[in-house]
Structures are given as C-alpha cells and as structure tokens.
Amino acid sequence: MHKSDTERTVMQVKMKRYLGKPFAVFLAALLAIGLFPAVASAATHSFDVSAGDIRVEASSATPGTLSVSVGGAVAQDGIDPADTIKLTGTTNQHRIVVDAGMAVNLELDTLNITGRTGNVIAIDIANTTAANMVLTGANVLDNGSSYANTGHNPTINIAADASLVIDAASTGSLRVTGNAAGPAIGGATAGSLTVNGGTIDAATGSSGISGGAEHCAIGGGYRGSMKSIVIN
C-alpha cells in the first residue's frame, strides 16, 4: 500500500521534530569537547630586528611552512604561511631578508632601520617571494649611505621574480630613503610593486617613479627597470 503525499509530509514533519533538538544538542557537545573544532584564525608572530638580522624562508624541516631566524639562529619554525610575521624594532646594524619563495604575510610595526654603515639593503624581498605587507605606525628605512654614495643597492629590494603588495588594511606609514645611485624601493631589475593603502614617502638622489639611465625613487635601479608599479 502506497502512502499518499499528505502522509509522507506528516511523517517528515514528525521526524524533524524528533531529530531537530537532539541533533542540535549533539553538535553542541562535539564542539564543546573539541571533536568538531571551529576553524582557527591566523596567528601573528613578532620578531625584533634589534636582536639581529632577520631571515624569513621556507622551512626545511616542515615543507610548506615558514621558518624565521634572528641573528643566525632559528627563532621559530613551522609557521603557517597564512599567519602574519610582524617585524618591529630599531637598529643601525641589522637587516631583513624575506626569501620564502612563496606567499608570505608581513606587518611592519614601527620598524626603524637607519644609519647603518655602507650601502646595504634594509629589506630584501628575494627569490620568487610574494609578500603582502601591512603598515602599522611610523616605519623608517634607509640603506645606510649618503646621497653621495655611489653604491646601487636599493633600500627595499624586490627581486625580478618577486612581488610586494602594500595592503589596503595599512593604517601606518613607510618612509624610505635611497642614495644618489640606488632607488628607495625597487632594484637593478625589479619585480612588481602594488600599493593599496598606507602612506608611502620614497626619496632618493633623483626623484620619480620609473626606470632610466640612472635610477629613481621607486622603480629600476642603475640602468635597470621594474616589472610593474600599481598605485590604487
């Protein structure tokens, strides 16, 4: 004997009434004891450049994650690439190298790298790293040389196959000074830069945004070029 549509509807309603509340209680219990955990939010890991050179790279111990060294020693390994690596502190001796070869989230929080000796890159976005950067507070960088220095190193280097995005969530500023022969942001043959937020103040011996026979504030270095510059 076949049940009518009305009878089937009544049975479905009864089953929903029977299962609804107990099932909701069951799910709540699973959440409470951790058998059905909620999705964890990304974490932030802070590192102070005053303690030594900072190097961010792919972890050799845990593939697919990041490792951060400070002063030549591993400070933290196995960092999820979705997490944020906060860079802070003041120094006239050290630098930061981001050689992850993958996407990495950075935050500059009142970072000051100025007054070092020689023509040295302050932040090096190396290899094929795709760096997303949030600016918090006032950040100040130079490459440790005067305008009269003839070195061609930029203050923030973006390797040819790397990229740097200044995130729209940035509430801070970044002041970057190059010298007479090297750009503030870029490189001899630089990758790409996208600015979506924050306040950027870039200066060097020659000002402008381009590449050329000499150099510019943002772009290619000495007789170099930059893949792309986008300011939104």
Side-chain angles (χ1 to χ4, degrees):
M1 181 177 178
H2 297 287
K3 291 182 174 67
S4 67
D5 291 340
T6 301
E7 289 174 316
R8 281 196 293 267
T9 301
V10 171
M11 289 182 65
Q12 290 171 356
V13 171
K14 288 181 177 179
M15 290 182 68
K16 287 180 180 179
R17 289 176 177 173
Y18 177 75
L19 293 175
K21 186 174 181 180
F23 187 65
V25 172
F26 176 66
L27 285 178
L30 289 178
L31 288 170
I33 64 177
L35 294 179
F36 189 33
V39 177
S41 59
T44 297
H45 311 271
S46 297
F47 303 94
D48 192 326
V49 73
S50 65
D53 289 354
I54 295 176
R55 186 175 184 86
V56 181
E57 58 191 343
S59 171
S60 58
T62 312
T65 66
L66 298 169
S67 178
V68 177
S69 298
V70 179
V74 175
Q76 190 169 349
D77 191 60
I79 298 173
D80 189 328
D83 290 354
T84 296
I85 294 174
K86 179 185 288 191
L87 304 169
T88 188
T90 298
T91 183
N92 61 3
Q93 302 177 56
H94 309 304
R95 63 194 293 248
I96 295 167
V97 176
V98 185
D99 191 9
M102 66 175 77
V104 58
N105 296 311
L106 305 174
E107 179 184 355
L108 304 191
D109 186 354
T110 321
L111 179 70
N112 188 306
I113 303 178
T114 58
R116 293 165 304 150
T117 302
N119 178 229
V120 185
I121 296 169
I123 298 179
D124 190 0
I125 310 298
N127 201 347
T128 56
T129 299
N132 184 76
M133 181 182 289
V134 172
L135 304 176
T136 302
N139 301 278
V140 183
L141 309 172
D142 68 33
N143 69 359
S145 59
S146 68
Y147 283 150
N149 191 289
T150 58
H152 303 306
N153 283 331
T155 302
I156 296 180
N157 182 64
I158 305 173
D161 294 322
S163 63
L164 173 61
V165 175
I166 307 299
D167 197 278
S170 297
T171 58
S173 62
L174 175 62
R175 182 176 184 180
V176 192
T177 305
N179 60 29
I185 304 173
T189 302
S192 61
L193 170 68
T194 302
V195 179
N196 292 325
T199 301
I200 310 296
D201 179 0
T204 188
S206 295
S207 61
I209 300 176
S210 65
E214 297 300 326
H215 66 289
C216 53
I218 300 176
Y222 179 71
R223 299 184 186 279
S225 61
M226 192 168 193
K227 187 176 292 183
S228 68
I229 303 170
V230 178
I231 300 178
N232 295 314

